[in-house]
Amino acid sequence: MTSYLAVFGNPIEHSLSPVIHNYFAKICSIDLQYDKILVQKGGFDKAADDFLERGLGFNITQPFKLDALNYAKKRGVLSKAARAAGAVNTIAKLKDGRIFGDTTDGYGLVLDLKRLQMPTSGAKCLLIGAGGAARGIISSLFTEGGLLSMVICNRTHQKAVDVASFFANSGFKVTAAPEDRLEGHFDIIINASSSSLHKTLPNIKDEVYKGAAAAYDLMYTKEEKTIFTEHLKSLGVCSYDGLGMLVAQAAGSFEIWHGILPDISGTLSYLRAYLKNA
Ligand code: NDP
């Protein structure tokens, strides 16, 4: 029997989710149809109800991750990760008809950091950015990645302070520091800001980056490099773009819907080749 799935967003044309899920389906021998759905502002709940009449579930990309959180709150249950992140990127219809809302961004990032053998356990982490992606990965980095501590820096410092305050009673050691006054050493550096999208670098001194074991930019490109990864490499820090996280968060959704975690490395190689030929 065919499973109907989709990704909701606006814009949506650029989404690689159908390519990834169709490849997962092929390697896991699962019969599915995965569509892209352009949702209009204010139209999320209706689009979701309509799709779930026959759909098994769907993914959510910008700008609807908060609408999806509210939808799952109203219609069913939210995972702990979704509550901590304040966002939902995966909706699944449960057997009893209720809706389950989860986020696999943090899970996906940690899976990818493990694939890359980035040393997260007991690590001091610098997190750059305080938007939706940054907030969505913090709790997984501690619970699944085993971080020791995290300092958040953001272009707008107050937002970093707000995110750190949100985690104040979580038991995680999260603090905020202004970018231009940041000092000290970090084991790993994660850029969860959109700086690379705008071809700019965060306003952080090179001394802070030097000596880190590795760095990761959530942004990805078909060339497998961003302005941030190239800058960090020039300072002697191993650096990776975020395409592996994109595949791994999709694998997390696939696991929720089908109960199987597909091969991430193989799919990533396929996707790199697909992008180079696109
Ligand atoms: P948001 O719009 O929620 O947040 C953007 C963040 O980037 C804010 O902290 C903002 O700072 C900062 N920022 C924006 N422009 C600049 C700039 N020119 N210089 C420095 N900082 C800047 O976006 P998201 O959090 O959803 O996404 C952030 C990035 O992560 C995007 O590039 C996105 O593509 C990527 N991403 C990748 C995923 C993957 O699977 N690989 C998954 C999710 C996201 P300020 O507060 O000052 O505005």
Side-chain angles (χ1 to χ4, degrees), residues 8 20 36 56 60-61 78 84 93 114 118-120 125 133 135 149 174 197 208 219-220 223 245:
F8 285 22
I20 299 172
K36 294 185 220 183
L56 178 64
I60 304 94
T61 185
L78 278 174
K93 193 162 70 183
K114 287 191 173 149
M118 268 178 75
T120 55
C125 173
R135 189 173 143 168
S149 63
V174 182
L197 198 63
V208 172
M219 172 156 166
Y220 51 83
E223 293 80 20
M245 172 180 167

PDB file of all heavy atoms in Angstrom, residues 8 20 36 56 60-61 78 84 93 114 118-120 125 133 135 149 174 197 208 219-220 223 245:
ATOM      1  N   PHE A   8       5.546  20.677   3.584  1.00  0.00           N
ATOM      2  CA  PHE A   8       4.781  21.921   3.506  1.00  0.00           C
ATOM      3  C   PHE A   8       5.744  23.106   3.672  1.00  0.00           C
ATOM      4  O   PHE A   8       6.562  23.105   4.589  1.00  0.00           O
ATOM      5  CB  PHE A   8       3.785  22.027   4.677  1.00  0.00           C
ATOM      6  CG  PHE A   8       2.559  21.167   4.582  1.00  0.00           C
ATOM      7  CD1 PHE A   8       2.514  20.028   3.801  1.00  0.00           C
ATOM      8  CD2 PHE A   8       1.428  21.511   5.317  1.00  0.00           C
ATOM      9  CE1 PHE A   8       1.371  19.238   3.741  1.00  0.00           C
ATOM     10  CE2 PHE A   8       0.277  20.742   5.265  1.00  0.00           C
ATOM     11  CZ  PHE A   8       0.244  19.599   4.484  1.00  0.00           C
ATOM     12  N   ILE A  20      15.329  13.203  -1.262  1.00  0.00           N
ATOM     13  CA  ILE A  20      15.880  12.406  -0.156  1.00  0.00           C
ATOM     14  C   ILE A  20      14.921  11.258   0.203  1.00  0.00           C
ATOM     15  O   ILE A  20      15.333  10.092   0.313  1.00  0.00           O
ATOM     16  CB  ILE A  20      16.143  13.299   1.086  1.00  0.00           C
ATOM     17  CG1 ILE A  20      17.153  14.395   0.753  1.00  0.00           C
ATOM     18  CG2 ILE A  20      16.623  12.457   2.262  1.00  0.00           C
ATOM     19  CD1 ILE A  20      17.343  15.442   1.851  1.00  0.00           C
ATOM     20  N   LYS A  36       5.572  18.023  -2.765  1.00  0.00           N
ATOM     21  CA  LYS A  36       5.850  19.357  -2.196  1.00  0.00           C
ATOM     22  C   LYS A  36       4.531  20.111  -2.186  1.00  0.00           C
ATOM     23  O   LYS A  36       3.856  20.165  -3.225  1.00  0.00           O
ATOM     24  CB  LYS A  36       6.796  20.137  -3.104  1.00  0.00           C
ATOM     25  CG  LYS A  36       8.180  19.581  -3.225  1.00  0.00           C
ATOM     26  CD  LYS A  36       9.017  20.553  -4.056  1.00  0.00           C
ATOM     27  CE  LYS A  36       9.918  19.795  -4.992  1.00  0.00           C
ATOM     28  NZ  LYS A  36      10.807  20.577  -5.791  1.00  0.00           N
ATOM     29  N   LEU A  56       0.000   9.903   5.602  1.00  0.00           N
ATOM     30  CA  LEU A  56       0.552   9.300   6.824  1.00  0.00           C
ATOM     31  C   LEU A  56       1.191  10.378   7.704  1.00  0.00           C
ATOM     32  O   LEU A  56       1.283  10.240   8.926  1.00  0.00           O
ATOM     33  CB  LEU A  56       1.606   8.277   6.379  1.00  0.00           C
ATOM     34  CG  LEU A  56       2.410   7.510   7.395  1.00  0.00           C
ATOM     35  CD1 LEU A  56       1.497   6.613   8.218  1.00  0.00           C
ATOM     36  CD2 LEU A  56       3.458   6.635   6.688  1.00  0.00           C
ATOM     37  N   ILE A  60       7.661  19.841   7.661  1.00  0.00           N
ATOM     38  CA  ILE A  60       7.352  21.261   7.627  1.00  0.00           C
ATOM     39  C   ILE A  60       8.663  22.022   7.528  1.00  0.00           C
ATOM     40  O   ILE A  60       9.589  21.788   8.293  1.00  0.00           O
ATOM     41  CB  ILE A  60       6.625  21.711   8.922  1.00  0.00           C
ATOM     42  CG1 ILE A  60       5.369  20.875   9.111  1.00  0.00           C
ATOM     43  CG2 ILE A  60       6.289  23.194   8.867  1.00  0.00           C
ATOM     44  CD1 ILE A  60       5.542  19.675   9.985  1.00  0.00           C
ATOM     45  N   THR A  61       8.704  22.949   6.548  1.00  0.00           N
ATOM     46  CA  THR A  61       9.861  23.826   6.462  1.00  0.00           C
ATOM     47  C   THR A  61       9.384  25.266   6.623  1.00  0.00           C
ATOM     48  O   THR A  61       8.205  25.511   6.920  1.00  0.00           O
ATOM     49  CB  THR A  61      10.661  23.547   5.167  1.00  0.00           C
ATOM     50  OG1 THR A  61      11.839  24.333   5.190  1.00  0.00           O
ATOM     51  CG2 THR A  61       9.875  23.864   3.898  1.00  0.00           C
ATOM     52  N   LEU A  78       2.805  16.435  21.484  1.00  0.00           N
ATOM     53  CA  LEU A  78       4.098  16.957  21.050  1.00  0.00           C
ATOM     54  C   LEU A  78       5.211  16.156  21.707  1.00  0.00           C
ATOM     55  O   LEU A  78       5.099  15.795  22.878  1.00  0.00           O
ATOM     56  CB  LEU A  78       4.251  18.393  21.543  1.00  0.00           C
ATOM     57  CG  LEU A  78       3.606  19.514  20.756  1.00  0.00           C
ATOM     58  CD1 LEU A  78       3.769  20.822  21.516  1.00  0.00           C
ATOM     59  CD2 LEU A  78       4.245  19.621  19.373  1.00  0.00           C
ATOM     60  N   ALA A  84      10.904  21.524  23.596  1.00  0.00           N
ATOM     61  CA  ALA A  84      12.144  22.246  23.924  1.00  0.00           C
ATOM     62  C   ALA A  84      12.545  23.182  22.783  1.00  0.00           C
ATOM     63  O   ALA A  84      13.019  24.292  23.018  1.00  0.00           O
ATOM     64  CB  ALA A  84      13.274  21.258  24.204  1.00  0.00           C
ATOM     65  N   LYS A  93       0.478  10.859  11.690  1.00  0.00           N
ATOM     66  CA  LYS A  93      -0.871  10.504  12.151  1.00  0.00           C
ATOM     67  C   LYS A  93      -0.754   9.194  12.924  1.00  0.00           C
ATOM     68  O   LYS A  93      -0.286   8.189  12.386  1.00  0.00           O
ATOM     69  CB  LYS A  93      -1.793  10.344  10.937  1.00  0.00           C
ATOM     70  CG  LYS A  93      -3.260  10.291  11.297  1.00  0.00           C
ATOM     71  CD  LYS A  93      -4.138  10.562  10.096  1.00  0.00           C
ATOM     72  CE  LYS A  93      -4.089   9.417   9.106  1.00  0.00           C
ATOM     73  NZ  LYS A  93      -4.868   9.639   7.896  1.00  0.00           N
ATOM     74  N   LYS A 114      28.131  12.772  14.724  1.00  0.00           N
ATOM     75  CA  LYS A 114      28.714  11.451  15.050  1.00  0.00           C
ATOM     76  C   LYS A 114      29.317  10.827  13.795  1.00  0.00           C
ATOM     77  O   LYS A 114      30.401  10.256  13.834  1.00  0.00           O
ATOM     78  CB  LYS A 114      27.641  10.534  15.647  1.00  0.00           C
ATOM     79  CG  LYS A 114      27.289  10.966  17.068  1.00  0.00           C
ATOM     80  CD  LYS A 114      26.436   9.976  17.812  1.00  0.00           C
ATOM     81  CE  LYS A 114      26.313  10.464  19.262  1.00  0.00           C
ATOM     82  NZ  LYS A 114      25.086  10.110  19.909  1.00  0.00           N
ATOM     83  N   MET A 118      32.862  14.193  15.093  1.00  0.00           N
ATOM     84  CA  MET A 118      33.123  15.439  15.820  1.00  0.00           C
ATOM     85  C   MET A 118      32.957  15.161  17.312  1.00  0.00           C
ATOM     86  O   MET A 118      31.973  14.556  17.716  1.00  0.00           O
ATOM     87  CB  MET A 118      32.156  16.543  15.370  1.00  0.00           C
ATOM     88  CG  MET A 118      32.736  17.376  14.242  1.00  0.00           C
ATOM     89  SD  MET A 118      31.635  18.651  13.619  1.00  0.00           S
ATOM     90  CE  MET A 118      31.711  19.889  14.901  1.00  0.00           C
ATOM     91  N   PRO A 119      33.912  15.561  18.133  1.00  0.00           N
ATOM     92  CA  PRO A 119      33.905  15.185  19.549  1.00  0.00           C
ATOM     93  C   PRO A 119      32.928  16.040  20.365  1.00  0.00           C
ATOM     94  O   PRO A 119      33.299  17.108  20.850  1.00  0.00           O
ATOM     95  CB  PRO A 119      35.341  15.443  19.974  1.00  0.00           C
ATOM     96  CG  PRO A 119      35.812  16.530  19.062  1.00  0.00           C
ATOM     97  CD  PRO A 119      35.057  16.404  17.771  1.00  0.00           C
ATOM     98  N   THR A 120      31.699  15.572  20.533  1.00  0.00           N
ATOM     99  CA  THR A 120      30.704  16.365  21.265  1.00  0.00           C
ATOM    100  C   THR A 120      30.686  16.041  22.761  1.00  0.00           C
ATOM    101  O   THR A 120      30.359  16.896  23.579  1.00  0.00           O
ATOM    102  CB  THR A 120      29.287  16.126  20.699  1.00  0.00           C
ATOM    103  OG1 THR A 120      29.017  14.729  20.721  1.00  0.00           O
ATOM    104  CG2 THR A 120      29.157  16.657  19.286  1.00  0.00           C
ATOM    105  N   CYS A 125      31.125  24.032  23.654  1.00  0.00           N
ATOM    106  CA  CYS A 125      30.635  24.350  22.310  1.00  0.00           C
ATOM    107  C   CYS A 125      30.349  25.843  22.171  1.00  0.00           C
ATOM    108  O   CYS A 125      29.751  26.444  23.055  1.00  0.00           O
ATOM    109  CB  CYS A 125      29.362  23.536  22.074  1.00  0.00           C
ATOM    110  SG  CYS A 125      28.492  23.934  20.566  1.00  0.00           S
ATOM    111  N   ALA A 133      16.672  27.562  14.078  1.00  0.00           N
ATOM    112  CA  ALA A 133      17.551  26.392  13.959  1.00  0.00           C
ATOM    113  C   ALA A 133      18.407  26.239  15.208  1.00  0.00           C
ATOM    114  O   ALA A 133      18.563  25.130  15.746  1.00  0.00           O
ATOM    115  CB  ALA A 133      18.427  26.519  12.725  1.00  0.00           C
ATOM    116  N   ARG A 135      17.855  27.338  18.302  1.00  0.00           N
ATOM    117  CA  ARG A 135      17.058  26.897  19.461  1.00  0.00           C
ATOM    118  C   ARG A 135      16.677  25.411  19.331  1.00  0.00           C
ATOM    119  O   ARG A 135      16.625  24.685  20.316  1.00  0.00           O
ATOM    120  CB  ARG A 135      15.811  27.784  19.550  1.00  0.00           C
ATOM    121  CG  ARG A 135      15.060  27.537  20.818  1.00  0.00           C
ATOM    122  CD  ARG A 135      13.941  28.506  21.014  1.00  0.00           C
ATOM    123  NE  ARG A 135      12.841  27.802  21.625  1.00  0.00           N
ATOM    124  CZ  ARG A 135      11.784  28.373  22.134  1.00  0.00           C
ATOM    125  NH1 ARG A 135      11.669  29.682  22.113  1.00  0.00           N
ATOM    126  NH2 ARG A 135      10.828  27.669  22.684  1.00  0.00           N
ATOM    127  N   SER A 149      29.232  22.208  28.001  1.00  0.00           N
ATOM    128  CA  SER A 149      28.726  23.585  28.129  1.00  0.00           C
ATOM    129  C   SER A 149      28.615  24.232  26.755  1.00  0.00           C
ATOM    130  O   SER A 149      29.208  23.755  25.782  1.00  0.00           O
ATOM    131  CB  SER A 149      29.673  24.404  29.008  1.00  0.00           C
ATOM    132  OG  SER A 149      30.938  24.479  28.382  1.00  0.00           O
ATOM    133  N   VAL A 174      24.180  26.677  29.592  1.00  0.00           N
ATOM    134  CA  VAL A 174      24.099  27.529  28.401  1.00  0.00           C
ATOM    135  C   VAL A 174      24.195  28.991  28.836  1.00  0.00           C
ATOM    136  O   VAL A 174      23.422  29.441  29.678  1.00  0.00           O
ATOM    137  CB  VAL A 174      22.753  27.331  27.657  1.00  0.00           C
ATOM    138  CG1 VAL A 174      22.705  28.184  26.397  1.00  0.00           C
ATOM    139  CG2 VAL A 174      22.524  25.872  27.314  1.00  0.00           C
ATOM    140  N   LEU A 197      24.652  32.353   4.286  1.00  0.00           N
ATOM    141  CA  LEU A 197      23.669  32.611   3.228  1.00  0.00           C
ATOM    142  C   LEU A 197      23.883  34.009   2.656  1.00  0.00           C
ATOM    143  O   LEU A 197      23.711  34.244   1.464  1.00  0.00           O
ATOM    144  CB  LEU A 197      22.280  32.511   3.864  1.00  0.00           C
ATOM    145  CG  LEU A 197      21.067  32.319   2.998  1.00  0.00           C
ATOM    146  CD1 LEU A 197      21.147  30.994   2.266  1.00  0.00           C
ATOM    147  CD2 LEU A 197      19.799  32.345   3.865  1.00  0.00           C
ATOM    148  N   VAL A 208      39.400  33.094  18.705  1.00  0.00           N
ATOM    149  CA  VAL A 208      38.394  32.249  19.372  1.00  0.00           C
ATOM    150  C   VAL A 208      38.238  30.915  18.620  1.00  0.00           C
ATOM    151  O   VAL A 208      38.038  29.867  19.219  1.00  0.00           O
ATOM    152  CB  VAL A 208      37.034  32.996  19.440  1.00  0.00           C
ATOM    153  CG1 VAL A 208      35.925  32.089  19.947  1.00  0.00           C
ATOM    154  CG2 VAL A 208      37.160  34.239  20.303  1.00  0.00           C
ATOM    155  N   MET A 219      24.407  25.738   7.133  1.00  0.00           N
ATOM    156  CA  MET A 219      24.145  25.995   5.725  1.00  0.00           C
ATOM    157  C   MET A 219      24.921  24.992   4.857  1.00  0.00           C
ATOM    158  O   MET A 219      25.996  24.537   5.242  1.00  0.00           O
ATOM    159  CB  MET A 219      24.586  27.414   5.376  1.00  0.00           C
ATOM    160  CG  MET A 219      24.493  27.617   3.900  1.00  0.00           C
ATOM    161  SD  MET A 219      24.328  29.298   3.443  1.00  0.00           S
ATOM    162  CE  MET A 219      24.684  29.112   1.704  1.00  0.00           C
ATOM    163  N   TYR A 220      24.358  24.637   3.703  1.00  0.00           N
ATOM    164  CA  TYR A 220      25.047  23.712   2.804  1.00  0.00           C
ATOM    165  C   TYR A 220      25.042  24.281   1.390  1.00  0.00           C
ATOM    166  O   TYR A 220      24.215  25.141   1.056  1.00  0.00           O
ATOM    167  CB  TYR A 220      24.378  22.331   2.823  1.00  0.00           C
ATOM    168  CG  TYR A 220      22.889  22.381   2.613  1.00  0.00           C
ATOM    169  CD1 TYR A 220      22.348  22.459   1.328  1.00  0.00           C
ATOM    170  CD2 TYR A 220      22.022  22.400   3.701  1.00  0.00           C
ATOM    171  CE1 TYR A 220      20.981  22.529   1.139  1.00  0.00           C
ATOM    172  CE2 TYR A 220      20.649  22.483   3.509  1.00  0.00           C
ATOM    173  CZ  TYR A 220      20.139  22.547   2.241  1.00  0.00           C
ATOM    174  OH  TYR A 220      18.783  22.637   2.054  1.00  0.00           O
ATOM    175  N   GLU A 223      28.748  22.863  -3.609  1.00  0.00           N
ATOM    176  CA  GLU A 223      30.223  22.787  -3.658  1.00  0.00           C
ATOM    177  C   GLU A 223      30.785  22.222  -2.356  1.00  0.00           C
ATOM    178  O   GLU A 223      31.987  22.053  -2.210  1.00  0.00           O
ATOM    179  CB  GLU A 223      30.842  24.175  -3.898  1.00  0.00           C
ATOM    180  CG  GLU A 223      30.556  24.781  -5.258  1.00  0.00           C
ATOM    181  CD  GLU A 223      29.176  25.429  -5.351  1.00  0.00           C
ATOM    182  OE1 GLU A 223      28.599  25.752  -4.283  1.00  0.00           O
ATOM    183  OE2 GLU A 223      28.666  25.585  -6.477  1.00  0.00           O
ATOM    184  N   MET A 245      23.328  17.060   7.819  1.00  0.00           N
ATOM    185  CA  MET A 245      22.231  17.278   8.782  1.00  0.00           C
ATOM    186  C   MET A 245      20.894  17.236   8.061  1.00  0.00           C
ATOM    187  O   MET A 245      19.916  16.691   8.582  1.00  0.00           O
ATOM    188  CB  MET A 245      22.406  18.625   9.487  1.00  0.00           C
ATOM    189  CG  MET A 245      21.219  18.999  10.350  1.00  0.00           C
ATOM    190  SD  MET A 245      21.472  20.590  11.155  1.00  0.00           S
ATOM    191  CE  MET A 245      19.820  20.930  11.730  1.00  0.00           C
TER     192      MET A 245
END
